[in-house]
Amino acid sequence: MIRFIFRLLAYVALSLSIIAAVLDAARSVGASQIVMTSLQNSWQSISPSSLVFAETGIKTHFYPVLWDPFMLFVLETPTFIVFALIAFLFYAIGYKRENGAGRFAAR
């Protein structure tokens, strides 16, 4: 059941990654140059209050130095890359490994 949830989250994150990539591709064609929207710009356009809430929450409840080098780097990364990495991590967690003995080994 847990594997199913992680795989489902991976498919949702992959879908969001593909949507963000298509939007960036359409904007790139329209602008006649490569346009990659950062996660911060995407998040800001969807819900600016939750971005401020996340920043204050990380700075007050977690290690405050975590925001400046790590989170700012993640927020400046293009949206489709962030969601593709999240999809990969969820899929890797939910991946069912094959039996190490082999397919035709006696059990």
Side-chain angles (χ1 to χ4, degrees):
M1 182 67 180
I2 298 296
R3 282 190 185 136
F4 172 74
I5 292 172
F6 279 118
R7 285 186 192 170
L8 181 67
L9 289 173
Y11 291 137
V12 168
L14 184 62
S15 300
L16 291 173
S17 174
I18 291 171
I19 290 169
V22 168
L23 287 173
D24 284 348
R27 288 184 186 126
S28 296
V29 168
S32 297
Q33 62 181 0
I34 295 177
V35 176
M36 289 191 284
T37 308
S38 68
L39 181 62
Q40 184 175 13
N41 290 342
S42 298
W43 197 349
Q44 187 75 28
S45 67
I46 293 172
S47 177
S49 62
S50 66
L51 179 60
V52 172
F53 180 72
E55 180 180 359
T56 57
I58 289 175
K59 284 184 176 179
T60 57
H61 298 301
F62 295 109
Y63 195 59
V65 180
L66 179 70
W67 181 261
D68 286 335
F70 181 70
M71 284 303 295
L72 289 180
F73 174 74
V74 170
L75 288 174
E76 290 300 318
T77 307
T79 305
F80 71 93
I81 293 175
V82 173
F83 280 113
L85 288 175
I86 291 171
F88 174 74
L89 289 175
F90 281 147
Y91 186 77
I93 292 171
Y95 181 72
K96 184 177 180 183
R97 291 166 184 81
E98 289 191 24
N99 189 2
R103 184 173 176 182
F104 298 106
R107 296 179 193 203

